[in-house]
Amino acid sequence: MRYREAVFAWFGFRAGAAGFLRHGFTPGFRAAASALLQPVNSYTRFPEYHFFERDIADFLEDRPGGGVPPLVLDVGSPKLFGFYLARRHPVDLLLTDISPLALDPYEKAWEAIRRGARGRVSFGIRDARRLSDRDGTFDVVYAMSVLEHVEGDDGDSAAAGEMLRVLKPGGLLVFSVPIGPDYREQAIQGLAHAVERTGKSDLHFFQRIYDSGRFENRLRRPLDGRIEREKIRTIDRRPSDVLRGYHFFRRYLPEGLAAALGPLNPVASAAFNRDHPGLVEPAVTVYGPVHRFGDIYADAILSGRKAAEP
């Protein structure tokens, strides 16, 4: 498969199975079922895993050795990707999120699979808008589909600037966000701050879907020309009736049954995903002001090296 779907799906299943054998249904039945059936939570995620890991692996290969593990900061990304990175590469990885709700289950999950890992993993609470780390601390900083969820009028811009601030000169920055032909600030029902379930019908801010102008102004401009060897890719969906039917079905499937589609995600990724160099307007999009599981949009991935200080 083009984006190593089988590799990532198999790793996720093994991690989920190891966690289940060690902890059973702790912290809950739904979490355990999702870890086993849908460890990569969407078919759209596989290209992000693929390109993030490839860019980071290439950077680590070029980086001078010296016996000191590179320091890597994950800003709120899917934790399974961090586990995969630490299993394969000798990194010192700090997995972060804004809420303990998004970290606590994964500390137990890592304990179940850490034996034999080449890297080390630690966990920490961070607000992406105000990272508590010192300037120039990390060799790699990445955020997979995170910046769009950072709240505040300029929360995403502040987070992009903070990621660059804590990165060493010459270090690697990688992030991805949703992108489409029209800018949207989406709300979602029953989920506050992207992690806290409210159990209410109230709508809360969920994410931004960027257009090319907002991508430039809100995310690239805060980097202030301090990125070298920049690469931008668009991960698009191939237009087809099958794609639309899949999303229509997914939209009306009860959330509790969503994990049942997990085994189809690698196949759906191979069928629907494609990538292009640069920012490319998606061929098919379906989204509005309220987030639905049937939404279709593209993802933009930016990677580059922080320029040396003047």
Side-chain angles (χ1 to χ4, degrees), residues 163-268:
M163 290 173 65
L164 187 66
R165 178 185 66 79
V166 302
L167 187 64
K168 294 178 181 179
L172 177 69
L173 175 71
V174 191
F175 65 76
S176 61
V177 294
I179 195 160
D182 302 304
Y183 179 72
R184 289 285 189 278
E185 293 189 4
Q186 288 191 322
I188 194 171
Q189 189 175 29
L191 192 69
H193 314 301
V195 294
E196 299 174 11
R197 296 191 178 277
T198 65
K200 300 178 181 179
S201 59
D202 297 340
L203 290 173
H204 303 272
F205 170 78
F206 182 64
Q207 69 173 0
R208 305 169 187 86
I209 300 176
Y210 298 84
D211 58 16
S212 58
R214 294 325 197 285
F215 182 88
E216 176 69 31
N217 291 331
R218 298 182 70 99
L219 299 177
R220 290 187 73 203
R221 186 167 293 174
L223 305 181
D224 195 25
R226 290 177 287 168
I227 291 292
E228 301 175 336
R229 299 166 66 175
E230 181 186 80
K231 293 184 294 186
I232 297 176
R233 305 179 185 88
T234 301
I235 311 300
D236 194 9
R237 321 301 167 206
R238 294 185 178 91
S240 71
D241 291 338
V242 176
L243 172 69
R244 293 183 177 90
Y246 181 91
H247 277 260
F248 181 84
F249 174 72
R250 180 65 182 86
R251 178 174 183 174
Y252 294 101
L253 186 71
E255 185 181 356
L257 298 178
L261 290 180
L264 295 179
N265 279 339
V267 178

Side-chain angles (χ1 to χ4, degrees), residues 55-74 82 85-86 88-95 118-122 136-142 166-172:
D55 286 349
I56 293 171
D58 289 346
F59 172 81
L60 295 178
E61 187 175 336
D62 292 343
R63 177 179 174 271
V68 178
L71 297 177
V72 180
L73 175 66
D74 156 56
L85 197 66
R88 289 183 55 89
H89 301 285
V91 296
D92 192 343
L93 172 62
L94 175 59
L95 294 177
R118 300 185 65 196
R120 174 180 175 270
V121 172
S122 56
T137 297
F138 297 97
D139 298 281
V140 178
V141 180
Y142 70 86
V166 302
L167 187 64
K168 294 178 181 179
L172 177 69

Side-chain angles (χ1 to χ4, degrees), residues 102-117:
L103 283 181
D104 292 347
Y106 293 101
E107 294 192 53
K108 293 182 178 180
W110 176 246
E111 287 298 322
I113 64 169
R114 64 184 300 176
R115 175 176 290 184

